[in-house]
Amino acid sequence: MASTLKSCCSGIPQRWIFVLMGFLALFTAYAMRVCLSIAVTQMVVPIEETKEYLDDTCPTFEDEAPANSTAFKGGTFEWSEYTQGLILSSFYWGYVITHFPSALVAEKFGGKYTLGFGILFAGILTIVSPYVVYWGDATAFIIVRTLLGVFCGCMYPASNVMLSQWIPLSERSKAGSMVFAGGPLGTVFATSVSGLILEYSSIGWPAVFYFFGGCGVVWFIVFMLICYNNPVEHPFISDNELKFLQEELSEHKHDDTPPVPWKEILTSKPVWALTVASFGNGWGFATLISDLNKYMSSVLKFSIQDNGYLSSLPFLCMWFGSIISSWISDWLIVKDKMSATNVRKWGTTIASVGPALCLIGASYAGCNRVVVVTMITLGMTLLGSSLPSIKVNVLDLSPNYAGSLMALTNVFAAGTGMVTPSIVGLLTPHQTLEEWRLVFWTIFGVFLGTNVIFVMYASGDVQEWNDPQYLRKLRESKKKPKINEEVELLPVTKSEKEHK
């Protein structure tokens, strides 16, 4: 059967099959993660707000009539805003704790099963969520969402390990960006489709969880059948592609590697520069992915239907930005127009300074909805260049330990998702323009501060501690002084005894 498949599929580059499935892995994982933010609107009994504040928000549209409103009504669970916040943030509690274990497992045994079973169990948990929440209310739901985060925590480390096994330097920006673009596009898909399911499904909000959880299970089945840990294990990869990948990857990717050199990693300036940049990028992205809907609805007064589409538009444009910037990045590196280090620095600068300026411009545009939406969309488009710069830089520094490095950097980036919703809540108690302007200035400061550190200390070159021979020599050199000391002491001690 393998020979038949090999003859049938020899013309299809299998590394790009993995890129497609890696993209769909993040796409599905983000969809399962984000769909709750829409479904919760029908799960919760609406809370009537009786307090009045001095309103510094925008007026509603004149042609909006309450009778034609598409706002979702009803709800079963009487959850306070605080409880809803716990449910929404509980995903991150589990998400951050599995980065390092999954990275070590993927580097030791391969990323296929680490990634595959992570998405499978996440899909099963999503499918059973309606039953769990009816049975155990908010407490049980928080536990399920935490476990969902635990299994989704493997997706970035395992994906990076497989990218290091399959993608050569000349294609790294394009392939990495295509895989990591699954996140924002999964957000777009979940936001749009969840609204349609809520509107047309006869069973209501449980259908959202059944649909996206089912997508995760289907993805797992296809992934197990057509993807493999590395080119050597692949039964129907063409001989030409196998030879090409072995030649391209052999210089910096090794089979027999020593344990993760944590001391060298944790004392590496380029690693910490990347970690700081990941934190800054994660801060801006987490704020927008969690609270952009709220800004569109509470401040700009868009209807729920318009809000869903307009909140999805920036993330769609972010994907376009990542694809364009990844092709430019690979072209600059392959044609020797610019070093990998400078390509990553320029890409990160565009992804930091551009969105920072656009968000500040949007905050001072007031109630000019066209300008605000345009500025936010442009900022997110520029943020797309973070994928072929910040995310891909992990593969530059160490192909052998790409999973562990991704775990380290992404823990800091993902940790912002536990903090930013609370900070936004503290800064915007009344959801006014002035309060949100402070939120955007905070993002501005984080973007620029972290980018300065990245530009000063980042690197696009493979680090010397990636080389197994270097690590072995380093450890042997640490043992030699003790051996020499013992050899030198013995003759002296002996001569002293003879003299006596």
Side-chain angles (χ1 to χ4, degrees):
M1 182 177 179
S3 59
T4 304
L5 288 172
K6 189 169 184 177
S7 60
C8 173
C9 304
S10 60
I12 304 174
Q14 294 302 313
R15 62 188 184 278
W16 292 106
I17 296 295
F18 160 68
V19 168
L20 174 62
M21 294 304 297
F23 163 82
L24 291 175
L26 269 66
F27 183 95
T28 306
Y30 267 76
M32 291 188 288
R33 162 182 161 185
V34 172
C35 68
L36 173 62
S37 63
I38 305 298
V40 76
T41 58
Q42 276 199 336
M43 296 173 69
V44 178
V45 176
I47 299 175
E48 297 295 333
E49 183 61 70
T50 57
K51 295 181 180 179
E52 294 183 358
Y53 301 101
L54 292 176
D55 193 16
D56 184 27
T57 60
C58 302
T60 56
F61 289 96
E62 294 180 358
D63 58 348
E64 273 189 9
N68 296 328
S69 174
T70 57
F72 301 126
K73 302 181 183 298
T76 304
F77 306 99
E78 295 183 355
W79 294 336
S80 65
E81 290 290 337
Y82 175 75
T83 301
Q84 293 179 53
L86 287 178
I87 294 171
L88 289 169
S89 62
S90 59
F91 172 90
Y92 294 97
W93 306 348
Y95 184 66
V96 297
I97 66 176
T98 50
H99 274 58
F100 289 106
S102 61
L104 295 175
V105 171
E107 288 172 348
K108 183 71 174 178
F109 302 105
K112 174 179 178 177
Y113 294 102
T114 310
L115 178 62
F117 283 104
I119 302 297
L120 172 64
F121 290 127
I124 294 173
L125 285 170
T126 303
I127 292 173
V128 302
S129 291
Y131 303 101
V132 171
V133 72
Y134 276 124
W135 170 73
D137 207 79
T139 302
F141 199 26
I142 287 173
I143 294 173
V144 168
R145 293 294 295 182
T146 303
L147 290 174
L148 179 68
V150 167
F151 289 111
C152 285
C154 72
M155 60 183 178
Y156 276 112
S159 296
N160 235 36
V161 169
M162 294 192 72
L163 281 169
S164 70
Q165 296 278 5
W166 278 96
I167 306 301
L169 175 62
S170 59
E171 299 171 347
R172 188 170 294 165
S173 297
K174 291 192 294 289
S177 296
M178 289 181 68
V179 171
F180 299 135
L185 279 185
T187 302
V188 172
F189 182 73
T191 303
S192 304
V193 174
S194 295
L196 293 174
I197 293 175
L198 289 175
E199 184 175 356
Y200 294 108
S201 173
S202 59
I203 63 174
W205 61 264
V208 173
F209 295 95
Y210 300 151
F211 176 77
F212 290 108
C215 289
V217 174
V218 171
W219 174 90
F220 168 79
I221 296 172
V222 177
F223 181 73
M224 287 292 114
L225 292 175
I226 65 175
C227 289
Y228 293 83
N229 283 318
N230 54 63
V232 176
E233 293 182 10
H234 205 297
F236 47 92
I237 188 174
S238 69
D239 295 334
N240 290 336
E241 185 180 13
L242 178 61
K243 181 180 178 181
F244 167 74
L245 292 177
Q246 287 178 328
E247 292 175 351
E248 290 289 318
L249 296 170
S250 60
E251 182 178 0
H252 298 301
K253 185 65 182 174
H254 308 86
D255 293 328
D256 185 19
T257 57
V260 180
W262 285 115
K263 181 180 179 181
E264 286 72 22
I265 289 175
L266 295 177
T267 54
S268 170
K269 290 182 180 179
V271 169
W272 282 110
L274 176 58
T275 303
V276 169
S278 298
F279 174 85
N281 179 260
W283 185 285
F285 185 76
T287 303
L288 293 172
I289 197 174
S290 300
D291 295 288
L292 184 58
N293 284 326
K294 189 181 295 183
Y295 179 73
M296 293 284 195
S297 175
S298 301
V299 179
L300 296 180
K301 295 295 196 302
F302 281 110
S303 67
I304 290 180
Q305 184 177 8
D306 291 339
N307 187 9
Y309 294 127
L310 292 173
S311 297
S312 300
L313 179 62
F315 295 100
L316 181 62
C317 290
M318 180 183 176
W319 174 69
F320 283 116
S322 69
I323 296 300
I324 294 171
S325 57
S326 67
W327 281 87
I328 295 174
S329 297
D330 277 343
W331 180 81
L332 290 172
I333 293 173
V334 171
K335 297 296 183 181
D336 289 328
K337 302 290 184 181
M338 190 181 292
S339 67
T341 297
N342 288 332
V343 167
R344 306 310 180 210
K345 288 182 178 181
W346 273 107
T348 303
T349 300
I350 292 171
S352 300
V353 178
L357 294 175
C358 288
L359 289 176
I360 293 301
S363 70
Y364 285 96
C367 295
N368 191 328
R369 295 178 173 91
V370 175
V371 174
V372 172
V373 172
T374 300
M375 294 299 290
I376 291 177
T377 302
L378 176 60
M380 290 296 288
T381 304
L382 296 174
L383 188 64
S385 67
S386 65
L387 299 186
S389 54
I390 296 175
K391 294 295 186 185
V392 173
N393 191 222
V394 169
L395 295 168
D396 295 328
L397 299 180
S398 180
N400 284 331
Y401 304 105
S404 295
L405 279 187
M406 176 59 82
L408 175 65
T409 57
N410 207 53
V411 158
F412 283 86
T416 60
M418 303 170 64
V419 178
T420 54
S422 300
I423 292 178
V424 172
L426 290 173
L427 295 178
T428 61
H430 306 145
Q431 294 293 313
T432 65
L433 284 168
E434 184 177 355
E435 290 171 348
W436 271 95
R437 191 170 293 137
L438 183 57
V439 172
F440 290 146
W441 272 112
T442 303
I443 298 175
F444 179 91
V446 172
F447 266 147
L448 265 61
T450 55
N451 182 67
V452 168
I453 295 175
F454 185 82
V455 170
M456 290 175 61
Y457 299 109
S459 173
D461 300 325
V462 176
Q463 300 301 290
E464 56 185 0
W465 39 264
N466 178 74
D467 186 358
Q469 292 185 0
Y470 170 82
L471 292 176
R472 294 188 183 100
K473 290 180 181 178
L474 183 65
R475 284 161 186 167
E476 288 175 1
S477 66
K478 292 179 180 178
K479 297 178 181 178
K480 283 184 179 179
K482 295 181 181 180
I483 298 173
N484 291 338
E485 185 178 1
E486 293 174 0
V487 173
E488 291 173 2
L489 287 175
L490 284 174
V492 174
T493 304
K494 186 177 179 181
S495 63
E496 285 180 354
K497 288 182 177 179
E498 291 176 353
H499 179 70
K500 290 179 181 179

